[in-house]
Amino acid sequence: MISLLPLRDRWWAGLLAAVGICGTLAGAPRSLDAQAIEGVLRDAEAGLPIAGAVIILLDTQNEQRLRVRTDLRGEFRLPVPEAGDYTVWAEREGYASTVSELLSVTLEAVVPLELAISALRTSATVLEGESADDLDPYEAALRYAAMLGRACEGRYDPTKHAILVGIVRDSVSNVNLPGVSAVIEWRGAPDSTARVRVQFDPGTGAPQTYNQIAGVTDDDGAFMICNVPAGVTVALWAEAGEEARAAERAIEVKPGTIRKEDIILGLTNQTEPGDILGRVRGRMNGDPVVGADVRLQGTDFRTITNERGTFTLEQIPWGIYVIEVDHIAYASAQQAFRVQGGRAHQMEVLMTEEAIELDPLTVTVRPRSWFSGMSGLQHRINLGFGYVLEREDLERRGASNIGDALRGIPGVRVQRSGLYGSNVVFRSSRNLLGQSCRPTVWMDGVRITLDPQLGLNEFTALDLEVIEVYRSAAEVPGEFSGDANCGVLVLWTRRGIGR
């Protein structure tokens, strides 16, 4: 039978089948009326009934014969016009559609059917030269599972771990949020792959050990945690530094499975202003455009780009604006964008010497702390402390990983970490015991803990806009001075993957 499902829905139906949670036949109330299909639609993860979903009866030619909606109990009834073979298609906004197996309905018979759909959404892995529309859903699911297994190699044991994936969305704008952390935590014996903390019971004073693992969302707001312990209850939440944190919820996973959990985070606020840090470049050569006039149309917000082609606009009220950029040697640029309250926005504008229509500017939403740190970068450079590698420096070095990008900097020694990782130490820095030690690492204004196996190789040099290297406590600026005996490494990403 040829499925009519859209590709991503067909694919997720296959994935759910692969992990054993897709539609299955089960008992349902019978009727004394003529032939029909009766059943219930449930959430594949929670098992709760789904009301208001569309249920479609398809014949063997994939023609729609009947369309109904589930009631408040998630139940539905499809009176079948005549005996024969049929399939049932279920869909609901926010869920991946699914289709039943072929059902044979005889005269005056009632066929029970229980369907489960999930909120899982992603794209299939397509091989070069292969059409995505030709992918078998089950095959695509297996490919995706294999892809996740390869991505988690060294951190995932299918006998005791599950892989957790999901999307983090803003509760106000409903947009996907890059650069925030999805965190799991569980109580138990210390886990070598996790960040361990000890908390003392307020009643008995007994120590309680907690393990914590974080995954960082990418440009699409997606995260992945490879080594979720199976068979134990873990708390799951998302957080953006100290700015916002989602409510915790408890989940439990089975070994060797893939689990999808989306998280809603209250990050933006309509009552708060936002900030803008932008850069204006020439389209042909990428050089900074110095002295460009930048303004928000219809407002008093206006500024001039500096010698690096950058500009800042602070305390912009929530709303939609048109940014206008003018320079005597370039064609004017205009583009509408939305300011999200309580956030910083990174923006890049490309200008051309030819008066042609420009592509839309690129806007990335980031934490407020990122704006504070990056807007002070020029000041830190002017002070002359530390060693700063900007985007152009990183490109000249041609390094794919951060360790290689730092090689050759005076006082910096790159060390291997595990099979695939790397870390750095600064020759002039020592801990309180006088031992060589690793520097504190900040990313996009937030202090982070590196993966114990990958170290700095958890990220690539291609992801970075700026690296600031402060090799001793005497070099470290005040905004990064906490716990600086071993020096500080400050990473600023170019596309919001920071933790």
Side-chain angles (χ1 to χ4, degrees):
M1 181 189 69
I2 299 175
S3 173
L4 292 181
L5 292 173
L7 172 64
R8 69 172 186 272
D9 295 338
R10 290 168 45 213
W11 182 84
W12 274 114
L15 175 59
L16 295 179
V19 297
I21 58 176
C22 203
T24 57
L25 293 175
R30 295 184 59 86
S31 171
L32 298 178
D33 297 336
Q35 60 270 3
I37 299 173
E38 292 184 348
V40 64
L41 179 67
R42 300 184 184 277
D43 184 292
E45 297 293 332
L48 299 174
I50 299 176
V54 175
I55 307 295
I56 301 173
L57 180 68
L58 302 173
D59 61 21
T60 54
Q61 303 301 314
N62 283 327
E63 295 291 333
Q64 177 177 315
R65 303 297 296 272
L66 189 62
R67 181 187 185 99
V68 301
R69 287 189 179 270
T70 56
D71 62 19
L72 293 177
R73 296 183 297 275
E75 295 177 353
F76 60 89
R77 186 176 191 276
L78 293 165
V80 177
E82 57 190 10
D85 295 334
Y86 298 87
T87 54
V88 176
W89 182 5
E91 63 179 19
R92 180 71 163 86
E93 183 179 355
Y95 287 79
S97 304
T98 192
V99 65
S100 73
E101 298 295 330
L102 191 66
L103 305 174
S104 294
V105 182
T106 58
L107 189 65
E108 296 185 357
V110 175
V111 177
L113 175 66
E114 183 169 317
L115 292 172
I117 59 176
S118 172
L120 297 174
R121 290 189 306 275
T122 190
S123 57
T125 302
V126 183
L127 299 178
E128 185 176 356
E130 181 178 43
S131 171
D133 292 329
D134 294 335
L135 278 179
D136 174 74
Y138 191 81
E139 173 63 23
L142 295 179
R143 288 188 194 178
Y144 181 70
M147 181 185 71
L148 291 183
R150 290 193 297 271
C152 292
E153 186 175 0
R155 292 179 288 169
Y156 170 66
D157 182 345
T159 64
K160 62 181 182 180
H161 293 145
I163 298 175
L164 181 66
V165 297
I167 302 290
V168 181
R169 294 186 178 86
D170 177 48
S171 61
V172 176
S173 62
N174 201 38
V175 299
N176 297 352
L177 297 173
V180 302
S181 295
V183 184
I184 61 168
E185 185 176 76
W186 71 98
R187 182 179 171 183
D191 189 312
S192 61
T193 65
R195 180 179 180 181
V196 180
R197 69 178 180 89
V198 178
Q199 179 176 310
F200 293 93
D201 186 279
T204 64
Q208 299 174 341
T209 304
Y210 292 85
N211 299 281
Q212 190 177 103
I213 299 175
V216 183
T217 59
D218 63 13
D219 284 349
D220 298 319
F223 68 88
M224 179 174 68
I225 301 177
C226 295
N227 48 340
V228 182
V232 300
T233 300
V234 302
L236 170 67
W237 70 89
E239 61 186 24
E242 298 180 356
E243 296 182 78
R245 173 168 167 163
E248 295 182 14
R249 67 172 179 264
I251 64 172
E252 185 172 331
V253 296
K254 297 179 181 179
T257 61
I258 301 169
R259 178 75 170 263
K260 173 73 159 51
E261 292 283 345
D262 288 350
I263 307 174
I264 302 298
L265 181 63
L267 194 57
T268 66
N269 188 329
Q270 291 183 350
T271 65
E272 293 185 13
D275 304 313
I276 300 173
L277 176 63
R279 173 174 291 182
V280 182
R281 293 178 180 269
R283 173 180 295 276
M284 299 303 295
N285 53 24
D287 290 341
V289 178
V290 180
D293 182 35
V294 181
R295 60 190 178 276
L296 298 186
Q297 190 179 88
T299 75
D300 295 329
F301 291 101
R302 187 168 188 165
T303 188
I304 302 293
T305 57
N306 63 16
E307 64 275 9
R308 299 177 61 242
T310 63
F311 64 91
T312 60
L313 294 169
E314 302 182 45
Q315 299 294 299
I316 311 299
W318 169 288
I320 297 176
Y321 297 88
V322 174
I323 189 168
E324 300 177 322
V325 184
D326 287 305
H327 191 279
I328 191 171
Y330 295 84
S332 298
Q334 290 186 350
Q335 180 63 39
F337 69 100
R338 181 189 296 275
V339 170
Q340 298 180 26
R343 306 297 289 162
H345 302 71
Q346 184 187 17
M347 179 180 297
E348 182 171 74
V349 182
L350 297 179
M351 303 188 74
T352 177
E353 296 180 359
E354 298 292 333
I356 60 174
E357 183 179 353
L358 297 179
D359 293 336
L361 54 79
T362 301
V363 180
T364 301
V365 181
R366 300 180 183 261
R368 263 270 174 77
S369 56
W370 176 92
F371 176 82
S372 300
M374 283 293 283
S375 61
L377 175 63
Q378 188 63 50
H379 175 68
R380 294 193 294 274
I381 293 176
N382 294 339
L383 290 177
F385 294 124
Y387 198 101
V388 177
L389 294 174
E390 297 186 67
R391 182 72 232 155
E392 294 80 0
D393 302 316
L394 296 173
E395 291 174 350
R396 280 196 297 268
R397 287 173 175 256
S400 60
N401 61 67
I402 297 175
D404 289 344
L406 296 175
R407 293 185 188 276
I409 296 178
V412 176
R413 185 169 75 241
V414 180
Q415 298 178 329
R416 187 170 181 175
S417 175
L419 292 177
Y420 306 105
S422 68
N423 277 295
V424 298
V425 295
F426 302 144
R427 294 187 179 90
S428 58
S429 296
R430 295 289 186 272
N431 61 20
L432 297 178
L433 300 178
Q435 301 167 326
S436 176
C437 54
R438 294 173 182 172
T440 302
V441 180
W442 292 69
M443 177 170 278
D444 290 345
V446 179
R447 182 175 172 179
I448 67 171
T449 300
L450 297 175
D451 182 280
Q453 301 296 322
L454 298 177
L456 291 172
N457 286 1
E458 185 176 354
F459 313 101
T460 72
L462 298 176
D463 293 326
L464 300 182
E465 185 71 24
V466 177
I467 302 177
E468 299 180 57
V469 182
Y470 301 104
R471 294 157 291 191
S472 68
E475 289 187 351
V476 177
E479 54 264 52
F480 306 118
S481 60
D483 191 18
N485 289 329
C486 298
V488 170
L489 192 66
V490 183
L491 311 176
W492 298 100
T493 69
R494 65 188 312 194
R495 55 188 185 89
I497 66 166
R499 296 164 66 165

